[in-house]
Amino acid sequence: MTLHQEKMRQAQAIVREEGVDLWLTLARETIMNNDPVLPLLCPVEFGGITGLFITGEGRTIALASQLDHLGLEQTGVCDEVINYGADFEAGFAALLARLAPGTIALNYSRDVAADGLTHGMYLYLTALLERCGFAGKLISAEGIIGKLRGRKAPEELRRIREATKLTETILREVAGFIREGVSQRDIYQFCQQRIAFYGAEDAWDHDQNPGVFIGPNPVIGHAGPGDRRAEKGDLINLDFGVKVKGYCSDIQRTYYLLRDGETDIPEVYKEHLANLHRAIDQGVALMQPGRMGWEPDSAARKGLTDQGYPEFRYSFGHQVGRAAHDGGVSMTRHRPGGGGEAPLEEGLVLTIDANLYLDRGRIGQEDVAYLTKDGAEFISERQTEIWLCGGQP
C-alpha cells in the first residue's frame, strides 16, 4: 500500500468517527493557492477542477475531468473515479443526488492546515449546492483534517525518523567545524552544503535554515544568519531541520567554545542544562493522549520558574510532518482558540522545545517525539551534554 493509500484509508475511518455524511475537498487546475490537505490524499496534480468525496460509509470517490480521470485511477487512492467530461457542475449535481448527504464538511477553519477552501471557491460551491437543491448543513472539516494530518501513518513516521536521523548527523558534523572566528554565515553555509551533499531539502525557509545563534542576546525565533563570529567562551545554538521524501524534522542543539586554559564545559552550564532537562521532563510526563495541549506547556514552564528561571518564550511544542510547523494540536497556552485548547492523541509527532538565555548565549533543546498510547517516545536522540566545538584540546 502506498503512502497516499494509507492516508486515504485513514481519512475514511476518521470521517466515520466524526459522524459526517460527506467530506468534500475541491482541487483546481493549478498548484497556486491549492488546498494544503491535497498532498496527504493524492500524489498527482490536476488539469481541471476536481472533487474528492469521502462518505460516512467509508467510500472514496473522485469527480475528475477528462484530463485527469485515468491518471487518478492509476494511483489507486479512490474506490471510484468518475469522468465528468467537460461539465463539472452536471457531474457534481448527479453525484450529490446519488449520495444525498445531510451534512457536508468543508475545508474552512482558523487552523491554516484545514483552511484550504478559498473564499472565492466557497462562494462558488455554496451557490452550486443551492442550485442542486442541497438543504442540509455545512460544517468545518477541521476535526477531520486535524486528525488526518496529525495521526501519522507508518510510512509517514518512517520518513520523519529518517529526516530526524539525518538532521542529527549534520548537527554532529557541524561541531567539528565551529571554531574561534567562524561566523554565523559560515556555519549556515556549512549546514547547507551538508544538506546538498545528502540530497535532502530544507524543512523551512532556505535563507533561515539553520537558525544560528552565537553568544549573548541572540534573536528569538527563525532568522537568517548574521555576521557575529564565535569567540572563546561562547555558547552556540542551532535550530535546524531537513526534509526527506516530503517529511520534516526540527531540532535544536547547543555547543560550547572553550576558553584558553579550559579543558571542559564550565560546571555552571552543565547545571543549567540539567535544570532545563528537569523542567522539560515535567512537561513530557504530561504528554499523554487525552491531555489538553496546554498542560505539558504549563508544567514545563512551572518547572523552570520553580528553579528561578524565566519562562521560555514560545510554545513547548508543535506538530511536525509535511511541514516543520504542521498545524493542528500543539502544546501551547498562547494561541487563543488554537491547538493548545485541544486534546493530544496517539499518533502525533511533536517537538519538545525549551531554552535558557544566559550570559554567553542560549542553551536550547528541541527534540522530536512520537505520542504513543503510553506517552511520548523520543524519535531524536536527546542531547545529554553540551557539545564541544572542533579544534578543541
Side-chain angles (χ1 to χ4, degrees), residues 292-302 305 310-317 330-342:
M292 301 302 289
W294 56 264
E295 292 184 81
D297 180 287
S298 295
R301 290 177 191 277
K302 187 174 186 301
T305 57
E311 296 183 353
F312 45 88
R313 305 186 188 187
Y314 33 80
S315 69
F316 185 55
S330 65
M331 296 185 294
T332 180
R333 61 179 188 177
H334 293 306
R335 194 169 56 163
E341 297 180 7

Side-chain angles (χ1 to χ4, degrees), residues 23 39 54-55 116 140 152 160 238 254 273 278 281-282 303 323 393:
W23 175 31
I54 301 179
T55 72
S140 170
K152 298 301 183 288
I160 293 170
L238 267 65
T254 301
L273 179 61
R278 190 173 296 112
D281 288 344
Q282 291 180 227

Side-chain angles (χ1 to χ4, degrees), residues 277 306 384:
H277 282 169
D306 284 352
T384 57

Side-chain angles (χ1 to χ4, degrees), residues 177 183-195 206 209-210 212 225:
F177 174 78
S183 72
Q184 292 170 303
R185 294 184 195 278
D186 294 333
I187 297 170
Y188 163 85
Q189 289 292 347
F190 176 87
C191 292
Q192 282 294 326
Q193 289 166 6
R194 300 313 290 168
I195 291 174
H206 174 81
N209 184 39
V212 183

Side-chain angles (χ1 to χ4, degrees), residues 335-364:
R335 194 169 56 163
E341 297 180 7
L344 302 174
E345 64 172 341
E346 183 180 352
L348 303 183
V349 174
L350 296 149
T351 61
I352 297 168
D353 186 3
N355 52 67
L356 301 174
Y357 290 82
L358 305 172
D359 58 335
R360 292 302 298 269
R362 88 178 187 186
I363 297 177

